[in-house]
Amino acid sequence: MATSTRSNAHHPGATMRNLNWSATEKAVARKAFDLALQRDLEAVMAETKTKAGKVRQPSDLWELERYLTERRKHIDRQYDFRYSVFPLVFADLIRQGRLRAEELRGLAEDKLEYIRWHSRL
Amino acid sequence: MATSTRSNAHHPGATMRNLNWSATEKAVARKAFDLALQRDLEAVMAETKTKAGKVRQPSDLWELERYLTERRKHIDRQYDFRYSVFPLVFADLIRQGRLRAEELRGLAEDKLEYIRWHSRL
C-alpha cells in the first residue's frame, strides 16, 4: 500500500478521476456530502444570528454582509458535487473538521487512500 | 413665485448647482443630511436583527445578504454629500419619509423652492 500511495502521489488527479464508484459507495458519499454541507450551513445560520445580535453600528452591518458573501462563495466552491472530485472534497472537509473519517465508512480502499493522502497534505 | 418655479423647471440642474450656500445654511443642510442618514442606518440595523432572528433555512441567509447589499448600495448612492446636489437629495429624502420639510428650516427660499419642486415630481 505504501508503494501504491507513492505511485498515486505522482499523478493523483488522473487516477482519482477514473475511480469506479459502486451504487453503495455513491450513497455513502452523498450522505457524507449532505451531512457536511448541513453542518456548514447550520454553523453559518448560528453565527449570523450571533453577529446580527451584536450589531451596534453601521460598520457591523457591512461586516455581516461581507461574512455572508464570503461564506456563500466558500460553500459554493467547496461543495462540488461530482464523484470525480469527491476524494478531494472529503479530504478538505476532514481537514476542516466538518467530517470524521468514520462517516466515510463503506467507501472502498481505493477512495479512502486518496482521501487520507489529500487530507494530510 | 409660480413664475419663478416654472422658469426653474426648464433648467433646474444648471441653476441649482449655482446656488450660494451661506455658512448657516450649510450647517442646517449637514444636520438634516446626517439625521436622515442616521434614520436610514437605524432602520437597516433594526430590520437586519429581525431578519436574522427569522432565519430558519439557508435561503434565508442569502436573502439577508442580498438585503444588506441592496441597502448598502442604495445608501451609498442616495447620500451624495455635495452642496450642488443637496436639493435633489433632500427632495428624495422627503418623498421617502426620511426627512420632514420643517427639518430644513433655515435654508433660504431659493433652495426650498428646488426641494419642493423636486419632491413633488
Side-chain angles (χ1 to χ4, degrees), chain B residues 69-102:
Chain B
T69 303
E70 188 278 320
R71 284 290 88 192
R72 179 174 49 74
K73 289 186 176 172
H74 174 85
I75 288 173
D76 281 352
R77 212 167 37 233
Q78 175 144 45
Y79 289 88
D80 187 348
F81 195 90
R82 289 177 297 161
Y83 294 105
S84 60
V85 296
F86 265 6
L88 293 180
V89 173
F90 289 141
D92 284 343
L93 291 171
I94 286 173
R95 265 213 311 272
Q96 293 163 18
R98 284 279 175 251
L99 267 189
R100 290 188 303 275
E102 56 266 34

Side-chain angles (χ1 to χ4, degrees), chain A residues 49 52-53 55 61 65 69 72, chain B residues 48-49 52-53 55 65 69 72:
Chain A
K49 285 170 190 282
V55 165
L61 290 173
E65 183 204 358
T69 303
R72 180 174 49 75
Chain B
T48 296
K49 285 172 190 281
V55 165
E65 183 205 358
T69 303
R72 179 174 49 74

Side-chain angles (χ1 to χ4, degrees), chain B residues 7-113:
Chain B
S7 147
N8 286 338
H10 294 134
H11 310 282
T15 320
M16 183 181 75
R17 283 173 174 72
N18 298 326
L19 292 170
N20 285 315
W21 295 74
S22 70
T24 309
E25 286 183 301
K26 285 186 175 179
V28 168
R30 276 198 305 272
K31 193 174 165 190
F33 183 96
D34 289 343
L35 183 66
L37 176 57
Q38 188 59 31
R39 284 175 184 156
D40 243 324
L41 291 168
E42 275 169 12
V44 181
M45 288 194 274
E47 181 66 12
T48 296
K49 285 172 190 281
T50 302
K51 282 184 182 291
K54 288 181 183 167
V55 165
R56 293 287 174 273
Q57 50 193 4
S59 61
D60 299 333
L61 289 173
W62 319 133
E63 198 279 331
L64 175 58
E65 183 205 358
R66 276 192 299 276
Y67 167 77
L68 286 167
T69 303
E70 188 278 320
R71 284 290 88 192
R72 179 174 49 74
K73 289 186 176 172
H74 174 85
I75 288 173
D76 281 352
R77 212 167 37 233
Q78 175 144 45
Y79 289 88
D80 187 348
F81 195 90
R82 289 177 297 161
Y83 294 105
S84 60
V85 296
F86 265 6
L88 293 180
V89 173
F90 289 141
D92 284 343
L93 291 171
I94 286 173
R95 265 213 311 272
Q96 293 163 18
R98 284 279 175 251
L99 267 189
R100 290 188 303 275
E102 56 266 34
E103 288 167 332
L104 294 170
R105 197 171 290 147
L107 297 187
E109 188 55 30
D110 55 352
K111 284 93 187 172
L112 293 174
E113 195 177 309

